[in-house]
Amino acid sequence: MTDFPSLAEAEARDAADPLAGWRDRFTLPEGVIYLDGNSLGALPVATRALMHDAVDRQWGEGLIRSWNDADWIGAPRRIGDKIAALIGAAPGEVIACDSVTVNLYKLMGAILAARPGQGRTILTESGNFPTDLHVAAGIAAQHSLVLDACSREAIADRIGPDVALIVLTHVHYKTGERFDMAAIQALADAHGVPLIWDLSHSTGAVPLNLAADAARFAVGCGYKYLNGGPGAPAFLYVAAEALEFLGSPIQGWMGHAAPFAMTDDYAPAPGIERFLAGTPPMLSLLALEAGVDLMLEADRDALWTKSQALFDFLGQLMATRCPELQPITPARADLRGSHASFAHPNAWPINRALIDAGVIGDFRAPDVLRLGLTPLYLGFADIWHAVDRLATIMGEGRWQRSEYSAPTRVT
Amino acid sequence: MTDFPSLAEAEARDAADPLAGWRDRFTLPEGVIYLDGNSLGALPVATRALMHDAVDRQWGEGLIRSWNDADWIGAPRRIGDKIAALIGAAPGEVIACDSVTVNLYKLMGAILAARPGQGRTILTESGNFPTDLHVAAGIAAQHSLVLDACSREAIADRIGPDVALIVLTHVHYKTGERFDMAAIQALADAHGVPLIWDLSHSTGAVPLNLAADAARFAVGCGYKYLNGGPGAPAFLYVAAEALEFLGSPIQGWMGHAAPFAMTDDYAPAPGIERFLAGTPPMLSLLALEAGVDLMLEADRDALWTKSQALFDFLGQLMATRCPELQPITPARADLRGSHASFAHPNAWPINRALIDAGVIGDFRAPDVLRLGLTPLYLGFADIWHAVDRLATIMGEGRWQRSEYSAPTRVT
């Protein structure tokens, strides 16, 4: 009778899923279907114990000694090296520190300072993630450049000698659209224009090979698919051959060649550590490490295969059961990330009603319902139930209830 | 027979100490005398439970909902308001975020951008904490200014129309010397030169009243006397009347007037939130809050009174039992912070030997043994035993053992 996959079919697919066991590595609340791991990743079981240890033993017992004994001092580089392995970079090319915002600022400032007078604009995509646009606007003004935020379609044509720097988000936070990294990078290289990739919605989500794609500069987020915890530190990537030409505009003591020599004069660390600024927030950094360790353990090809299967399964269900919601994420796997977005003029109250029904998705202004597909801890039955509940909300018009009418903060 | 206070006297003072009960609010390791709370504060008992809750319940159970339900989103301002109460600032004048380094950069950049062309130099103290010097050097170059790092004695004479900005650390990280905030601030104001105070070694350590001293700009550290945990986020203070003229050079989405409107255009938040950059490292931020809460509960006059008593007691013991170590911290209480430093050409191996003897102090290059006096969890008997062990090390020449000869990293 139905023209959409049955729950039994979903359960059969879960039973056959080689990644199904991974769900037990996360502590998800009872009765919740979590489709927002692209905004804040779930808590790994191992992280709980590690954080208790970090607080109770490393800080409480070890005190200041843990900077050496627990190698806190090495954490930004150690975790950076682990992230490097996830994104196709080499050890020494990635450092875990600060936020995406601050890392973008440091990297943009470093590149612009290294190439004074070259180009007139900073090129980015209109509708890019706000922090990318805001940081770019601020630094453009500081360097007497013009911010050129144009449509995705126009980007390629805009790349030319006028451009001082390009900043692109690899997977779009709202639509899920993915740039062809190798193609755009080659175009930028052909014009000799440096290009920074924001990998916030890519890392741990889609296949990444920065070396193969010849990407030289990137930043990325720790609290989404890396499951690093709320506001986890971010990362910054500079290809080895570019590093020596760059210095951070924020010259902090942790980026000094010899931080504990305590000299008045600044000398940047020879390696990627030069992009460190202040003392890193160690508890948050250690939680990030646990998330990265878990991701390193997973078979990333299998993850991406499952992400595609979940996406297609969701699309099939949505098209038949919730046709009022318009899919805006590209259907072709190589053109998107690991989340699926749907437009509806009432996306805000729909999302609120969905949360009350035990399905945590995400709203993104002005009209997008965003559903994150995290293959490590989501199954096909989860997707089935989520759409089933959404179909009920839509069918009953439940989102029109007054309790869902007043916008509040949504993260 | 002895010309120094006896252990019995120390114990008697502990028994009469109105703050003695506070020690039980901290989890200190057995057998360790911790004289490095000025570098990394001890773990409050309450923080353990709070962090377990933050990880297990707020993150693990609440997931993305905790940004609203646990008011993560309000944490930087909420904690800022609490810190404001500790430093004589008003609610809305302080924000908890990033590191001291990044906050210094943001504040220096904001002030210089607001007063273009005024002054030629950035004035600071030579031998200031390295990150202050490094950030100042970097931003001076970016703004075509000269960094003038002069001796403490010369500072006052240097303040004049040539100075674009002054950056001073209120209590010196190494010597413990304290500037007269009101006097220097008045001098800067008389010349119309903005002045940023680094309160890293002051906050929670010495009496502070920024409003009374007319201080308008400050940054400070969360992981020292505030007991906020390793690398805890820092804070940034701007007096209310100065805020509207300042914009952060790092224009991040969390500093936007409406972060979740997700607009392309940047509009700074009306309040101190404009100095936020990226998503804050929430686990580290919540640990900081627990430390700040504890400090708010304490009687700060009593803390400073006890700090002075501990300092004098230590000085008396050191002068008689370890005369080889030269005190370099001013004896007068109003001229110093809450740590006591001693110079010795072999301070490095002496500190290592002291750590092995169960007394954790700190070495600061090139020749300083630094002992932090944290009245919340240190008593007179602790000081007595610490000096007793140090006297033994000095008397036996134990620091000359080969195991103490090779410098390693010391934080």
Side-chain angles (χ1 to χ4, degrees):
Chain A
M1 289 297 287
T2 58
D3 53 356
F4 54 84
S6 65
L7 179 56
E9 187 175 334
E11 289 169 344
R13 295 189 71 168
D14 282 338
D17 174 12
L19 294 175
W22 275 89
R23 188 193 188 107
D24 297 337
R25 309 286 293 272
F26 291 86
T27 60
L28 288 157
E30 282 295 315
V32 164
I33 297 172
Y34 193 56
L35 301 178
D36 210 8
N38 57 323
S39 191
L40 171 60
L43 170 64
V45 172
T47 304
R48 288 179 60 152
L50 183 129
M51 289 309 290
H52 295 195
D53 178 74
V55 173
D56 300 356
R57 189 185 59 83
Q58 294 184 40
W59 174 15
E61 296 284 320
L63 291 160
I64 195 72
R65 297 171 293 194
S66 289
W67 281 102
N68 294 330
D69 297 349
D71 196 26
W72 286 350
I73 195 73
R77 168 66 187 270
R78 182 177 73 238
I79 300 168
D81 283 352
K82 291 177 178 182
I83 293 172
L86 292 175
I87 64 175
E93 293 186 324
V94 178
I95 192 97
C97 58
D98 295 315
S99 59
V100 169
T101 298
V102 171
N103 286 340
L104 260 177
Y105 183 87
K106 290 186 292 191
L107 200 42
M108 295 183 75
I111 294 168
L112 292 174
R115 306 173 75 252
Q118 300 197 42
R120 220 176 37 83
T121 68
I122 295 178
L123 178 63
T124 189
E125 184 189 4
S126 58
N128 195 349
F129 187 76
T131 226
D132 300 67
L133 288 160
H134 303 337
V135 169
I139 212 159
Q142 287 158 34
H143 289 260
S144 304
L145 299 168
V146 174
L147 180 64
D148 180 12
C150 70
S151 72
R152 174 166 292 243
E153 295 69 34
I155 296 278
D157 284 346
R158 286 294 233 288
I159 298 175
D162 258 15
V163 184
L165 177 60
I166 309 168
V167 184
L168 294 176
T169 299
H170 182 230
V171 170
H172 195 280
Y173 80 100
K174 192 152 60 178
T175 66
E177 292 168 286
R178 189 194 333 170
F179 279 107
D180 181 334
M181 183 182 282
I184 302 277
Q185 183 69 51
L187 194 59
D189 288 350
H191 289 90
V193 182
L195 164 54
I196 300 175
W197 292 102
D198 181 341
L199 305 177
S200 291
H201 283 271
S202 313
T203 312
V206 299
L208 283 173
N209 192 332
L210 298 195
D213 290 349
R216 265 184 298 286
F217 310 110
V219 298
C221 180
Y223 55 77
K224 299 178 184 295
Y225 296 92
L226 295 183
N227 306 303
F235 67 87
L236 180 153
Y237 156 83
V238 175
E241 80 268 17
L243 188 62
E244 65 180 300
F245 305 105
L246 301 181
S248 174
I250 308 175
Q251 295 183 171
W253 73 310
M254 284 290 167
H256 194 281
F260 298 102
M262 302 272 174
T263 57
D264 280 15
D265 289 336
Y266 180 73
I272 191 74
E273 290 87 345
R274 63 177 57 188
F275 278 100
L276 291 175
T279 309
M282 197 49 56
L283 300 178
S284 286
L285 201 53
L286 294 174
L288 170 62
E289 184 167 30
V292 171
D293 282 342
L294 203 65
M295 188 57 76
L296 277 172
E297 211 186 303
D299 177 338
R300 289 188 296 287
D301 288 337
L303 278 179
W304 178 233
T305 300
K306 181 174 170 188
S307 169
Q308 294 173 61
L310 290 171
F311 183 95
D312 293 340
F313 192 68
L314 172 66
Q316 210 180 342
L317 285 164
M318 288 290 286
T320 45
R321 302 202 62 193
C322 304
E324 314 91 307
L325 285 105
Q326 183 66 31
I328 60 170
T329 303
R332 247 180 68 185
D334 61 325
L335 297 181
R336 61 169 160 78
S338 194
H339 65 270
S341 292
F342 300 86
H344 190 286
N346 297 109
W348 194 86
I350 291 169
N351 183 53
R352 299 308 303 174
L354 196 58
I355 291 173
D356 277 0
V359 179
I360 300 181
D362 208 336
F363 165 79
R364 278 299 175 248
D367 63 352
V368 168
L369 178 69
R370 189 176 70 166
L371 304 177
L373 304 174
T374 49
L376 276 182
Y377 50 85
L378 272 182
F380 294 87
D382 293 323
I383 302 297
W384 195 94
H385 285 297
V387 178
D388 188 56
R389 292 181 206 174
L390 181 58
T392 303
I393 287 164
M394 299 309 294
E396 291 178 354
R398 197 191 300 166
W399 56 270
Q400 297 176 53
R401 288 186 194 163
S402 61
E403 70 220 69
Y404 302 129
S405 66
T408 66
R409 288 184 317 237
V410 179
T411 307
Chain B
M1 289 296 289
T2 59
D3 51 357
F4 54 85
S6 65
L7 178 57
E9 188 175 334
E11 287 168 345
R13 295 190 69 168
D14 283 337
D17 175 11
L19 293 174
W22 276 89
R23 189 192 186 108
D24 297 336
R25 308 286 294 272
F26 291 86
T27 59
L28 288 157
E30 282 295 316
V32 165
I33 297 172
Y34 193 57
L35 300 178
D36 209 8
N38 56 323
S39 189
L40 171 61
L43 170 64
V45 172
T47 304
R48 288 180 59 151
L50 184 130
M51 288 310 290
H52 295 196
D53 179 73
V55 172
D56 300 357
R57 189 183 61 81
Q58 295 184 38
W59 174 14
E61 295 284 319
L63 291 160
I64 195 72
R65 297 171 292 195
S66 289
W67 281 101
N68 294 329
D69 297 349
D71 196 26
W72 286 350
I73 195 72
R77 168 66 188 272
R78 182 177 73 240
I79 301 168
D81 283 352
K82 291 177 178 182
I83 294 172
L86 293 175
I87 64 175
E93 293 185 324
V94 177
I95 192 93
C97 59
D98 295 314
S99 58
V100 168
T101 298
V102 171
N103 287 340
L104 260 177
Y105 183 87
K106 290 186 292 191
L107 201 42
M108 294 183 74
I111 294 168
L112 292 174
R115 305 173 75 253
Q118 300 198 44
R120 221 175 37 80
T121 67
I122 296 178
L123 178 62
T124 189
E125 184 189 5
S126 57
N128 195 349
F129 188 75
T131 225
D132 300 66
L133 288 160
H134 302 336
V135 169
I139 212 157
Q142 288 157 36
H143 289 260
S144 303
L145 299 168
V146 173
L147 179 65
D148 179 12
C150 70
S151 73
R152 174 166 292 241
E153 296 68 33
I155 295 278
D157 284 347
R158 287 292 234 286
I159 298 175
D162 257 15
V163 183
L165 178 59
I166 309 168
V167 184
L168 294 176
T169 298
H170 183 230
V171 170
H172 195 281
Y173 80 101
K174 190 151 63 177
T175 65
E177 290 167 287
R178 189 191 337 167
F179 279 109
D180 181 335
M181 183 182 283
I184 301 278
Q185 183 69 51
L187 195 59
D189 289 349
H191 289 89
V193 182
L195 164 55
I196 300 174
W197 292 101
D198 181 342
L199 306 176
S200 292
H201 283 272
S202 312
T203 313
V206 299
L208 282 173
N209 192 332
L210 298 196
D213 290 348
R216 265 185 298 286
F217 311 109
V219 297
C221 180
Y223 55 79
K224 298 179 182 295
Y225 295 92
L226 295 183
N227 306 304
F235 67 87
L236 179 153
Y237 156 84
V238 175
E241 79 268 17
L243 189 61
E244 64 180 301
F245 305 105
L246 299 182
S248 174
I250 308 176
Q251 295 184 169
W253 73 308
M254 284 288 168
H256 195 279
F260 298 102
M262 301 272 174
T263 56
D264 280 15
D265 289 336
Y266 181 73
I272 190 74
E273 290 87 346
R274 64 177 56 188
F275 278 100
L276 290 176
T279 309
M282 196 50 56
L283 300 179
S284 286
L285 201 52
L286 294 174
L288 170 62
E289 185 167 29
V292 171
D293 282 343
L294 202 66
M295 189 56 77
L296 277 172
E297 209 186 303
D299 176 337
R300 288 188 295 287
D301 288 338
L303 277 180
W304 179 233
T305 301
K306 182 173 169 188
S307 168
Q308 294 173 63
L310 290 172
F311 184 95
D312 293 341
F313 191 69
L314 172 67
Q316 210 179 342
L317 284 164
M318 287 290 287
T320 45
R321 303 202 61 194
C322 304
E324 315 92 308
L325 285 106
Q326 183 67 31
I328 61 171
T329 303
R332 247 180 67 185
D334 62 326
L335 297 182
R336 61 168 161 80
S338 194
H339 65 270
S341 292
F342 300 85
H344 190 285
N346 298 110
W348 194 86
I350 290 169
N351 183 53
R352 299 308 303 175
L354 195 58
I355 290 173
D356 276 359
V359 179
I360 301 181
D362 207 336
F363 165 78
R364 280 298 175 249
D367 62 353
V368 168
L369 177 70
R370 189 176 72 165
L371 304 177
L373 302 174
T374 50
L376 277 182
Y377 49 85
L378 272 182
F380 295 86
D382 293 322
I383 301 296
W384 195 93
H385 286 295
V387 177
D388 189 57
R389 293 183 206 172
L390 180 57
T392 304
I393 287 164
M394 299 309 294
E396 291 178 355
R398 197 191 301 166
W399 55 269
Q400 297 176 54
R401 288 186 194 163
S402 61
E403 69 220 66
Y404 302 130
S405 65
T408 64
R409 289 185 315 239
V410 180
T411 308

